């Protein structure tokens, strides 16, 4: 019976293509440097009466997708077939991850508490280089803990190599405050094509 070995792009290789959280956060915060593939930004705001604070964070997950094709093994062991990524099927399927912390400040005692249940609205808009809206998510969450996290599917396929994009995001606790920011993302798939080429070559 012919033996088959699966050798699609390894987890380690994928991880190597994604910037570390700290690096991405620093890039997103000041809007400078290279366009990260997995950008993240954060912010905080106070209510008008200074008794409540909302801290929010948003991470854009590009979500690369691809199919695999079968390649023969080496000349010495042709029976060891392997599956490698097909660069012709590369595409992006983005999602958005939001995090928040809602604080109540006891001014007289100088204390900060994170209690109760909260209504949280998360929102993001993805714009292309022409400032056209290509995707948007808006989700209202009820009964949320003061500290929480929510991932929202983007529901929109984005083709590779279609230029630079901007993500505008907000985390809103109605009646308290709203935080938000802007992230930048580049849709190039070149790094994945390079990784697939290395896999095809058996490296």
């Amino acid at each position: 019976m012919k033996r088959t070995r699966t050798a699609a792009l390894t987890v380690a290789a994928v991880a190597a293509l994604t910037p570390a959280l700290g690096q991405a956060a620093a890039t997103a915060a000041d809007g400078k440097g290279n366009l990260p593939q997995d950008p993240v930004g954060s912010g905080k705001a106070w209510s008008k009466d200074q008794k409540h604070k909302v801290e929010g964070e948003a991470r854009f997950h590009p979500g690369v997708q691809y199919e695999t094709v079968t390649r023969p093994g080496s000349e010495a062991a042709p029976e060891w077939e392997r599956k490698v990524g097909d660069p012709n099927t590369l595409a992006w399927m983005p999602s958005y991850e939001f995090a928040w912390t809602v604080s109540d400040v006891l001014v007289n005692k100088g204390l900060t508490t994170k209690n109760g249940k909260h209504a949280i609205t998360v929102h993001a808009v993805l714009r292309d280089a022409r400032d056209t809206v290509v995707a948007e998510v808006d989700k209202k969450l009820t009964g949320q803990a003061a500290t929480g996290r929510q991932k929202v599917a983007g529901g929109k396929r984005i083709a590779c190599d279609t230029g630079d994009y901007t993500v505008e995001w907000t985390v809103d606790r109605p009646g308290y405050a709203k935080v938000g920011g802007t992230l930048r993302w580049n849709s190039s798939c070149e790094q994945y094509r390079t990784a697939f080429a290395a896999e095809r070559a058996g490296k």
Side-chain angles (χ1 to χ4, degrees), residues 70-120:
T70 302
R71 290 285 185 266
S74 65
E75 292 182 2
E79 73 275 15
W80 287 99
E81 294 181 340
R82 56 202 173 103
K83 292 186 179 297
V84 299
D86 180 0
N88 295 323
T89 63
L90 276 167
W92 303 103
M93 185 60 76
S95 62
Y96 309 81
E97 186 175 1
F98 302 89
W100 63 85
T101 297
V102 179
S103 305
D104 298 314
V105 182
L106 305 178
V107 179
N108 295 335
K109 297 183 179 180
L111 300 175
T112 299
T113 62
K114 301 179 176 112
N115 299 317
K117 297 295 183 180
H118 302 269
I120 304 291

Side-chain angles (χ1 to χ4, degrees), residues 30-170:
D30 60 18
K32 300 176 182 177
N34 296 327
L35 298 178
Q37 288 294 85
D38 198 19
V40 60
S42 61
K44 61 183 178 181
W46 291 84
S47 60
K48 291 181 180 180
D49 60 8
Q50 298 291 299
K51 292 183 179 181
H52 309 287
K53 182 173 66 173
V54 176
E55 298 171 84
E57 179 184 275
R59 176 184 286 273
F60 179 74
H61 295 283
V64 69
Q65 294 185 337
Y66 58 90
E67 296 177 5
T68 59
V69 294
T70 302
R71 290 285 185 266
S74 65
E75 292 182 2
E79 73 275 15
W80 287 99
E81 294 181 340
R82 56 202 173 103
K83 292 186 179 297
V84 299
D86 180 0
N88 295 323
T89 63
L90 276 167
W92 303 103
M93 185 60 76
S95 62
Y96 309 81
E97 186 175 1
F98 302 89
W100 63 85
T101 297
V102 179
S103 305
D104 298 314
V105 182
L106 305 178
V107 179
N108 295 335
K109 297 183 179 180
L111 300 175
T112 299
T113 62
K114 301 179 176 112
N115 299 317
K117 297 295 183 180
H118 302 269
I120 304 291
T121 300
V122 296
H123 182 254
V125 176
L126 181 65
R127 297 180 183 273
D128 63 17
R130 297 183 298 276
D131 203 36
T132 300
V133 175
V134 296
E136 185 171 7
V137 297
D138 188 85
K139 192 168 186 178
K140 294 177 173 59
L141 310 170
T142 59
Q144 299 299 303
T147 298
R149 183 175 295 270
Q150 179 78 30
K151 191 171 184 179
V152 182
K156 178 72 174 182
R157 184 179 183 276
I158 305 296
C160 285
D161 309 309
T162 48
D164 298 337
Y165 288 79
T166 300
V167 181
E168 300 169 355
W169 66 273
T170 60

Side-chain angles (χ1 to χ4, degrees), residues 37 64 90-92 159-161 187-194:
Q37 288 294 85
V64 69
L90 276 167
W92 303 103
C160 285
D161 309 309
S187 62
S188 170
C189 290
E190 185 58 33
Q191 288 179 303
Y192 289 96
R193 291 193 187 91
T194 300

